[in-house]
Amino acid sequence: MKKMLFIFLLVALPLLASCNNQEFDKNRVETNAKSEESVDKASKETTAEVKKDGNENQSVSKAEFKVTQEKKREETKVKEEKKTVVDAGNKITEQQAPKKLTVEETGNIAKSTLKGIRLTMETLAAEHEEWHLQPWITNPADNKAKYDQALFTIQNSLSQYFTKNSAEKYAPAYLQEFFWAYEGFSMADENLLDVRFRVEEQAENRFVVSSITIESEAGYYSPGTNRLEYVKEGENWKINSYQFIPSQEQPLNLTKQDIEEAFVKNGYTVIDQFQHNGTTYFIIGYENQWMSAINTLNGHLEEKIATIYSQNK
């Protein structure tokens, strides 16, 4: 009996151990599989979370980019609108800013005005021969009606060249010049502006020019400084005032250029510059037939100085 039990144990124990080992291996495989499954699941969940976070971050980045672009577009639009306003303002300012006349333009206006005055007065002198050398020109009381009628006619004729007040002021001078004295009233000659022409003042509707006159061979002009004020009425420039300053009050201090501007165009020649008793003179001549000296301070011709000059040569 003991022998049979011993044999049974020898056979059963190995089988029992084998079964236990198989069960252990099965459990270990299942455990490992579960573990791998858990790890894989965790990995997938982690990956999913990462992807989710990435997508969320990517969505945030796209939103921020969109906002930034919108902001830039708005800033650009504002800048362009400001530039448009500034450009428009500059354009309006340029349009409103008065155009400044050049020296040449002011000279042309002034000369054409004086020429128009001269031609107008010459026409009136031809049309009203009955006025010439009438006593009432210098003594209006002799025939006040005739005198007033003459002034009225002159004022109306010169209204395109003078303002109303200046036409009234200067009409008597034009009446005497063209119908009585014939002394070469300087405001009736565009050559008034030939020598040392300057623009003294200028504004949108006003300018003042100046020039000098030098005594001519015949003594036609009195030497001095001329100042003419022009104002704009509508589209026309008109004389508003005229001032003559004699050279005794305001010395001319003539230069060679002044002498050339005054005389060379009429065929005269500037011969020399000459000092006598502390005063400077310019010696001028005309075709070897006539010679005189011009005092540089007062603009008067002094032929006796020319004689002294000739004697010293």
Side-chain angles (χ1 to χ4, degrees), residues 200-219:
E200 302 290 347
E201 302 174 31
Q202 185 175 165
E204 181 178 359
N205 294 312
R206 175 183 176 272
F207 66 82
V208 177
V209 296
S210 68
S211 65
I212 61 173
T213 46
I214 303 172
E215 185 179 18
S216 64
E217 179 186 354

Side-chain angles (χ1 to χ4, degrees), residues 18-272:
S18 176
C19 289
N20 288 336
N21 287 336
Q22 288 179 357
E23 183 68 22
F24 175 78
D25 289 341
K26 180 179 178 182
N27 291 334
R28 186 176 65 183
V29 169
E30 290 176 352
T31 300
N32 289 339
K34 288 180 180 180
S35 176
E36 289 176 356
E37 182 179 353
S38 298
V39 170
D40 185 56
K41 183 178 179 182
S43 176
K44 287 181 179 180
E45 289 176 351
T46 301
T47 302
E49 289 177 358
V50 170
K51 286 183 178 180
K52 181 180 179 182
D53 291 342
N55 289 336
E56 288 178 353
N57 290 335
Q58 187 175 10
S59 298
V60 171
S61 297
K62 286 182 178 180
E64 290 178 348
F65 176 77
K66 185 176 181 181
V67 170
T68 301
Q69 291 299 103
E70 287 292 333
K71 185 177 181 180
K72 286 183 177 180
R73 280 195 290 270
E74 186 65 25
E75 289 175 351
T76 302
K77 182 180 178 181
V78 170
K79 288 180 180 179
E80 289 176 350
E81 289 176 349
K82 286 182 177 179
K83 184 177 183 300
T84 301
V85 171
V86 171
D87 291 343
N90 290 337
K91 186 175 181 181
I92 291 172
T93 302
E94 290 175 359
Q95 291 174 345
Q96 292 176 343
K99 179 185 175 183
K100 187 175 181 179
L101 297 172
T102 64
V103 174
E104 182 179 2
E105 287 172 332
T106 55
N108 289 338
I109 291 170
K111 275 209 162 193
S112 64
T113 302
L114 292 175
K115 182 178 181 180
I117 292 170
R118 176 177 61 80
L119 294 175
T120 299
M121 290 307 303
E122 288 175 353
T123 299
L124 288 177
E127 292 176 349
H128 297 277
E129 293 184 359
E130 73 279 8
W131 294 354
H132 289 275
L133 301 175
Q134 294 299 310
W136 50 262
I137 293 177
T138 56
N139 186 14
D142 282 354
N143 195 326
K144 189 71 164 55
K146 286 284 186 181
Y147 181 79
D148 289 344
Q149 180 60 43
L151 291 186
F152 179 78
T153 301
I154 292 173
Q155 290 170 20
N156 283 344
S157 299
L158 297 180
S159 61
Q160 60 183 314
Y161 306 112
F162 286 94
T163 59
K164 185 177 184 298
N165 290 338
S166 60
E168 293 175 356
K169 179 178 180 179
Y170 298 115
Y174 283 108
L175 177 61
Q176 288 202 30
E177 167 57 27
F178 282 88
F179 294 92
W180 182 270
Y182 311 105
E183 291 179 350
F185 181 49
S186 58
M187 249 181 31
D189 190 344
E190 61 270 26
N191 294 324
L192 167 74
L193 304 173
D194 285 347
V195 184
R196 203 187 292 173
F197 178 80
R198 300 283 188 274
V199 178
E200 302 290 347
E201 302 174 31
Q202 185 175 165
E204 181 178 359
N205 294 312
R206 175 183 176 272
F207 66 82
V208 177
V209 296
S210 68
S211 65
I212 61 173
T213 46
I214 303 172
E215 185 179 18
S216 64
E217 179 186 354
Y220 195 66
Y221 294 122
S222 297
T225 300
N226 308 283
R227 284 176 62 87
L228 285 135
E229 178 194 26
Y230 284 78
V231 297
K232 195 170 187 180
E233 292 186 351
E235 295 300 317
N236 299 319
W237 286 96
K238 299 183 178 183
I239 296 174
N240 190 52
S241 66
Y242 169 71
Q243 180 185 19
F244 176 75
I245 307 170
S247 59
Q248 289 83 356
E249 297 178 15
Q250 182 174 306
L252 299 179
N253 299 315
L254 299 172
T255 65
K256 184 179 180 180
Q257 181 179 343
D258 295 332
I259 305 302
E260 290 175 342
E261 289 178 349
F263 292 96
V264 170
K265 64 183 178 182
N266 296 321
Y268 294 87
T269 302
V270 180
I271 299 172
D272 201 358

